[in-house]
Amino acid sequence: MEKPVTEARKEFADLVNRVAYTGERVALTRRGKIMAALVSAEDLELLESLRAGRLDLTQAGQVAPPADRPQHSPLRIAAEYRPGGPPRPPGFGR
């Protein structure tokens, strides 16, 4: 899925949940060019393993996660949108 950065900013919490729960990747674009991406924690670990040279993609079969890293269970809520209340006077920060 591709999403312009300006739209992704408004929907960030929903996009994070979508990526966390479904594993779907979100490509963030600016003027039609992919600038960055949101990926699941599992995909990030795979990418880090590839970059560190711990994986050999020429081997057939399933790629096992690195043994030196603990397995993580999925999060219940990755992010939640909480709309702001009425404006506060200066000096009364949140």
Side-chain angles (χ1 to χ4, degrees):
M1 151 187 248
E2 287 189 12
K3 188 69 89 166
V5 173
T6 53
E7 286 181 32
R9 188 177 295 133
K10 297 173 191 170
E11 304 170 21
F12 187 70
D14 291 332
L15 291 173
V16 168
N17 284 332
R18 188 174 188 163
V19 168
Y21 295 124
T22 68
E24 184 176 359
R25 297 169 190 102
V26 179
L28 303 174
T29 62
R30 183 176 289 147
R31 296 183 189 98
K33 181 180 175 188
I34 296 176
M35 304 299 290
L38 296 175
V39 297
S40 68
E42 180 180 284
D43 285 352
L44 177 61
E45 283 189 36
L46 180 60
L47 178 59
E48 289 173 342
S49 294
L50 282 170
R51 285 193 169 173
R54 293 189 304 250
L55 290 180
D56 182 5
L57 295 180
T58 60
Q59 294 176 351
Q62 285 279 42
V63 176
D68 60 338
R69 292 211 174 189
Q71 293 293 333
H72 298 286
S73 60
L75 300 173
R76 296 249 182 227
I77 296 178
E80 180 180 334
Y81 173 70
R82 294 183 183 172
R88 295 182 180 194
F92 292 91
R94 294 179 191 203

